[in-house]
Amino acid sequence: MKINITETVLRDANQSLIATRMKFDEFKDILDELDKAGYFSLEVWGGATFDSCIRYLNEDPWERLRKIKAQVKNTKLQMLLRGQNILGYKHYPDDVVRNFVKYSVHNGIDIIRIFDALNDLRNIEVAVDETLKQGAHAQGAISYTQSPIHNLENYARLGKQLEEMGVNSICIKDMSGIMGPKDAFDLVKVLKETVKVPVVLHTHGTTGLGPITCTKAVEAGVDGIDTAISSFSGGTSQPSTETLHYALKELGYDTGLNEKVLKKINDHFKPLKDKYLASGQLNPYVLGTETDALTYQIPGGMLSNLVSQLKDQNALDKLNDVLTEVPKVRKDLGYPPLVTPMSQMVGTQATVNVLSGERYKMILKEVKAYIKGEYGKAPGEIDERLVEKVLGDEKPITVRYADLLEPVFDKTKIEVKDFAKTDEDVLSYLLFPAIAEPFLKKKAASKNEPLETVVKYSIEGV
Ligand code: CO
């Protein structure tokens, strides 16, 4: 049986281990081999790559994508998109979402993995629709979490709804690596029984469960898994490509991967890893196994945030109180998955509740917006007293939040025409105005802009 492998070294591994600081020049020489290895797809864009290119690397993210596409001719390129939030945390109007998806495809993306932190599918339907309109592969993702209200039945229902929406495949997205092998086996089984489209599993090595979880998912019939080349695998990254390939081959599965090419790829990334270790950008801590997430049922990244928050407040002695408060706040908020931005909201609110000595004496602005319905529908019921306290006589937002937003793309295009020379530039500006404006001004002033590539891919698409 064939198992599709998606290589994450250029996106999720890069993001999870070294805060997305890998420069194009550091991987350009290995793109040919990545294209030859036999991967189903390469995850190369979206997530934090876009922001990081502009903010830290002085690279135009669109140009990076075009340059990757120019070298990777046979393997599909994949990106991660946060539905109506695109690559950020606020909701954008539909015209921005549609344009972003359109130009992502025009510049070289073949597969878009689309998710919403709350699994409110209204927040992904426009991105899915546009992806399909552009002729690309829309992968609908289910944000995986564990709570008394999350069970196989409602995950199966989500899968069914995604299929009805027209997605080409479904991803189980375990962003914190808390999914165990049995959870994976049962969930994949039930999804495979419910939907006809392929199902893929995305997990992280954070808690050490990753490789076992992937193997059981394969046994349950999963069609694809995400892995990272070994030198950039493990810890908060994905399980290792070579390891999974070896294990799956031994168990009689066909990954389609060429071991000799994988070796060349890893030989390229090994010295890069050493370089990042030496510079301190790669902290050995993130490569370790962090089982606290299993004990506390909160993601590893969130735990380290809480610790540093409390340290800042000189209140590390309150850590246990905060860890007890986190699940209570999460329950009060209707059990949102603890993924960005909900993990920050729940964690900070719990800290405030403990440090102020009275629960919800102060409610965070973001938590209020969430309770009002600005992020979408909560998975479960929000505590009535909390709703009352935040809303008073005000009515909650029950429509899709983006329905309340006016189109802005055409208007912005005129406003920023002096420095945003292409529609892609306008999108960079709309997503990250504060950093994109100086970046684009500098770019517009420089004569070396390689216009040929811009024109070629904007017209041809894929
Ligand atoms: Co991930």
Side-chain angles (χ1 to χ4, degrees):
M1 209 182 109
K2 177 81 197 290
I3 304 295
N4 294 330
I5 306 288
T6 295
E7 172 63 52
T8 67
V9 66
L10 300 183
R11 205 288 298 175
D12 204 345
N14 176 13
Q15 181 172 333
S16 301
L17 296 182
I18 53 167
T20 334
R21 295 300 204 279
M22 208 186 285
K23 299 178 196 69
F24 176 77
D25 284 346
E26 289 174 321
F27 63 77
K28 70 171 197 293
D29 293 340
I30 201 65
L31 286 171
D32 291 344
E33 300 299 333
L34 280 164
D35 193 20
K36 278 186 226 154
Y39 291 113
F40 172 74
S41 62
L42 303 176
E43 194 196 33
V44 298
W45 214 60
T49 59
F50 197 96
D51 183 4
S52 182
C53 273
I54 302 176
R55 195 182 297 268
Y56 304 112
L57 306 175
N58 195 31
E59 281 183 44
D60 183 333
W62 301 98
E63 181 66 18
R64 171 185 280 213
L65 174 56
R66 289 189 292 266
K67 289 196 300 204
I68 296 172
K69 188 68 177 179
Q71 262 179 275
V72 180
K73 299 200 167 68
N74 304 306
T75 314
K76 293 184 177 78
L77 297 185
Q78 186 170 321
M79 75 172 289
L80 179 69
L81 189 90
R82 197 191 289 274
Q84 209 69 30
N85 301 151
I86 309 182
L87 306 175
Y89 307 121
K90 68 169 200 177
H91 281 250
Y92 291 91
D94 291 342
D95 66 329
V96 180
V97 174
R98 288 194 185 275
N99 272 300
F100 193 88
V101 167
K102 178 175 128 188
Y103 284 107
S104 298
V105 176
H106 282 203
N107 282 281
I109 290 294
D110 303 291
I111 301 173
I112 309 188
R113 177 178 292 168
I114 307 165
F115 78 105
D116 176 64
L118 296 175
N119 288 322
D120 182 340
L121 299 186
R122 297 173 304 171
N123 291 335
I124 74 163
E125 64 191 21
V126 170
V128 167
D129 182 63
E130 191 61 36
T131 304
L132 297 173
K133 273 197 182 125
Q134 296 300 329
H137 178 127
Q139 183 173 90
I142 297 172
S143 301
Y144 176 78
T145 190
Q146 293 166 353
S147 87
I149 61 155
H150 287 87
N151 53 43
L152 287 175
E153 239 179 319
N154 49 48
Y155 282 129
R157 193 163 56 237
L158 276 172
K160 191 84 205 148
Q161 286 165 348
L162 284 170
E163 188 173 59
E164 282 163 9
M165 201 184 275
V167 301
N168 304 100
S169 60
I170 291 172
C171 169
I172 304 166
K173 186 171 155 57
D174 174 26
M175 45 275 172
S176 42
I178 51 165
M179 179 185 278
K182 183 175 187 310
D183 300 327
F185 189 89
D186 294 347
L187 183 48
V188 168
K189 234 188 161 76
V190 82
L191 281 174
K192 290 298 288 179
E193 283 161 11
T194 313
V195 299
K196 290 190 184 66
V197 293
V199 175
V200 308
L201 174 67
H202 173 86
T203 185
H204 287 253
T206 324
T207 61
L209 289 169
I212 328 168
T213 300
C214 284
T215 310
K216 288 305 277 187
V218 167
E219 282 180 12
V222 89
D223 299 275
I225 54 171
D226 289 4
T227 61
I229 201 78
S230 54
S231 48
F232 273 77
S233 73
T236 53
S237 176
Q238 272 67 53
S240 145
T241 305
E242 297 97 307
T243 312
L244 260 304
H245 164 75
Y246 185 96
L248 294 179
K249 191 175 146 190
E250 202 189 75
L251 291 168
Y253 297 95
D254 171 23
T255 63
L257 291 173
N258 179 321
E259 284 150 30
K260 286 202 184 86
V261 183
L262 291 184
K263 166 94 172 75
K264 279 189 200 166
I265 296 169
N266 197 40
D267 285 347
H268 175 89
F269 285 102
K270 248 187 207 167
L272 260 184
K273 175 186 183 176
D274 292 339
K275 189 191 121 179
Y276 281 111
L277 275 170
S279 73
Q281 184 67 60
L282 173 54
N283 182 343
Y285 184 80
V286 301
L287 292 168
T289 303
E290 176 53 84
T291 51
D292 280 351
L294 301 175
T295 318
Y296 299 119
Q297 292 290 309
I298 67 171
M302 186 176 162
L303 188 65
S304 47
N305 275 345
L306 287 176
V307 170
S308 73
Q309 243 172 34
L310 288 170
K311 256 191 198 151
D312 287 347
Q313 306 278 329
N314 238 333
L316 206 51
D317 58 314
K318 296 281 197 307
L319 181 62
N320 268 331
D321 296 342
V322 172
L323 288 174
T324 321
E325 178 65 8
V326 165
K328 291 185 194 159
V329 172
R330 185 172 178 231
K331 176 172 186 277
D332 293 342
L333 296 180
Y335 297 108
L338 292 178
V339 54
T340 307
M342 296 315 302
S343 48
Q344 287 86 342
M345 277 193 235
V346 171
T348 312
Q349 187 63 55
T351 308
V352 169
N353 283 359
V354 168
L355 295 187
S356 68
E358 185 187 328
R359 305 191 75 221
Y360 305 111
K361 186 174 172 187
M362 202 280 269
I363 301 175
L364 299 179
K365 193 176 97 220
E366 292 80 7
V367 172
K368 282 184 184 161
Y370 167 82
I371 293 170
K372 282 181 188 162
E374 288 183 20
Y375 289 84
K377 196 180 175 323
E381 295 297 320
I382 301 177
D383 183 87
E384 262 175 41
R385 286 159 301 176
L386 208 48
V387 174
E388 169 76 33
K389 192 166 177 182
V390 169
L391 286 173
D393 294 333
E394 214 182 313
K395 287 243 175 328
I397 297 162
T398 50
V399 296
R400 191 183 66 110
Y401 188 67
D403 284 337
L404 306 171
L405 304 172
E406 293 292 330
V408 294
F409 186 82
D410 291 337
K411 199 177 83 196
T412 310
K413 190 171 167 174
I414 296 166
E415 283 165 13
V416 300
K417 66 175 187 321
D418 288 343
F419 57 88
K421 300 297 179 193
T422 61
D423 283 1
E424 286 89 338
D425 288 348
V426 177
L427 289 164
S428 300
Y429 176 78
L430 276 164
L431 260 58
F432 300 102
I435 53 166
E437 185 169 339
F439 175 83
L440 292 170
K441 280 183 172 158
K442 209 168 88 189
K443 195 178 83 151
S446 110
K447 303 263 184 298
N448 302 326
E449 171 64 8
L451 275 172
E452 287 154 46
T453 18
V454 176
V455 173
K456 188 170 162 258
Y457 283 104
S458 294
I459 295 170
E460 284 178 1
V462 286

